[in-house]
Amino acid sequence: MSDTPVNVTVTGAAGQIGYALLFRIASGQLLGADTKVKLRLLEIPQAVRAAEGTALELQDGAFPLLAGVDVFDDPKAAFSGANVALLVGARPRTKGMERGDLLEANGGIFKPQGEAINSGAADDIRVLVVGNPANTNALIAQRNAPDVPAERFTAMTRLDHNRAVAQLSAKLGVPVSEISKVTIWGNHSATQYPDLIHAEVAGKNAAETVGDQQWIADEFIPRVAKRGAEIIEVRGASSAASAASAAIDHVYDWVNGTPEGDWTSAAIVSDGSYGVPAGLISSFPVVSRNGRWEIVQGLEIDDFSRSRIDASVAELAEERTAVERLGLI
Ligand SMILES: NC(=O)C1=CN([C@@H]2O[C@H](COP(=O)(O)OP(=O)(O)OC[C@H]3O[C@@H](n4cnc5c(N)ncnc54)[C@H](O)[C@@H]3O)[C@@H](O)[C@H]2O)C=CC1
Ligand SMILES: O=C([O-])CC(=O)C(=O)O
């Protein structure tokens, strides 16, 4: 075990995802059981007291891997020396809103945070944006951090990925552990494309095993893409523990690598692969090797998939134009 703790900055630390996330980080699930962590919590001034309360509870957990907790209301201080940054703090949507409705409200948060990461984070900084609209918030942060390699900025579509795996598992009555190579393409929004065409169930093609294209098109895809709204409707608040769990999965895989023979989904800066314009932060099938995400190459994209991917990517391009007009990038 290394004695030098990894600095993990979490924004929105007093929020519902923060509460579900921090204890899992402290217990070693974000980086691994051999890695000590130091938590740096960022909140707005009105919520600092609540974050301090969470810090007291973290202390009460007596976590062997937790080397300390500090609470900040200043992004520059919070990101100083950060090795991992989880950008969760943002306004969640409520019933009837689309995630894009949050662009202006939340865009203003991610520009100063990108600037603070640029000026003070550690050289190996890795950023995961969870706060919605996650892809475009990540783009705002990345574009305001010109000295940080663009590949270090990612947005979370792992929750969508996990939802897709779980829906397929329920449909076929197989354990999630038998499902591999599911892909989420595009935006973390209702236009996302959960793709089963290359997915496998116990080594066999998933779409063929389902054998019901109508279920895939009319039930599976909308169920996964609109699951966030379903949770808001049923729970009365947006997904929290499942979102925290997906954030843990994303960073753990990024740092420790994805298993051989499988891939996962993450929104990363496009290099132009699969016709996604370079520079957009879009979800792809990815593996992590040597601490870096790589887009899985060479997948055949049929007409059905092409039109779905294009629609979601068009939405990302529109969001980029909107934040350009707002002067955020
Ligand atoms: N990418 C994904 O899959 C998912 C994303 N989300 C998004 O995550 C975000 C957080 O969700 P919740 O924790 O449920 O919301 P919440 O409202 O419970 O917590 C948000 C916290 O962020 C804080 N905050 C606001 N502005 C801040 C700033 N400038 N700096 C630091 N902290 C700030 C607030 O004070 C609050 O404590 C929302 O945008 C939500 O839509 C939620 C679920 C899944
Ligand atoms: O839907 C929301 O607003 C929260 C979210 O991103 C999700 O649950 O996927």
Side-chain angles (χ1 to χ4, degrees), residues 222-248:
R223 187 92 196 263
V224 172
K226 295 181 186 163
R227 183 69 160 186
E230 183 182 348
I231 301 291
I232 292 170
E233 182 63 35
V234 176
R235 200 174 90 89
S238 67
S239 299
S242 57
S245 195
I248 296 274

Side-chain angles (χ1 to χ4, degrees), residues 88-227:
V88 179
R91 189 185 140 194
R93 68 175 168 151
T94 41
K95 272 186 203 176
M97 289 173 88
E98 282 302 320
R99 296 182 187 97
D101 297 335
L102 298 169
L103 258 188
E104 188 161 5
N106 288 331
I109 296 173
F110 291 86
K111 183 174 160 67
Q113 292 186 357
E115 290 164 352
I117 288 168
N118 196 53
S119 64
D123 286 346
D124 66 348
I125 180 72
R126 287 182 167 92
V127 181
L128 170 63
V129 176
V130 174
N132 280 318
N135 301 54
T136 299
N137 287 339
L139 182 73
I140 294 168
Q142 182 261 314
R143 293 279 290 270
N144 284 281
D147 302 330
V148 177
E151 66 182 37
R152 307 290 184 75
F153 285 84
T154 65
M156 191 165 93
T157 53
R158 184 61 174 263
L159 177 54
D160 310 293
H161 179 97
N162 289 348
R163 287 166 171 164
V165 169
Q167 288 300 322
L168 183 60
S169 149
K171 167 78 175 168
L172 296 175
V174 299
V176 289
S177 55
E178 290 192 6
I179 294 173
S180 60
K181 301 182 180 171
V182 166
T183 304
I184 304 294
W185 298 90
N187 200 1
H188 173 63
S189 77
T191 67
Q192 70 180 259
Y193 172 45
D195 175 4
L196 293 185
I197 288 176
H198 304 281
E200 292 177 2
V201 178
K204 295 204 182 75
N205 182 273
E208 283 166 20
T209 306
V210 170
D212 183 351
Q213 178 58 24
Q214 201 176 346
W215 177 81
I216 293 176
D218 298 342
E219 292 186 45
F220 170 78
I221 293 173
R223 187 92 196 263
V224 172
K226 295 181 186 163
R227 183 69 160 186

Side-chain angles (χ1 to χ4, degrees), residues 2 4 9 14-15 24 51 57 103 135 147-148 170 186 214 280 289 318-319 329:
S2 159
T4 316
T9 299
R24 294 194 57 188
E57 280 200 79
L103 258 188
N135 301 54
D147 302 330
V148 177
Q214 201 176 346
L280 285 178
R289 299 276 177 266
E318 279 166 27
E319 289 183 12
I329 59 172

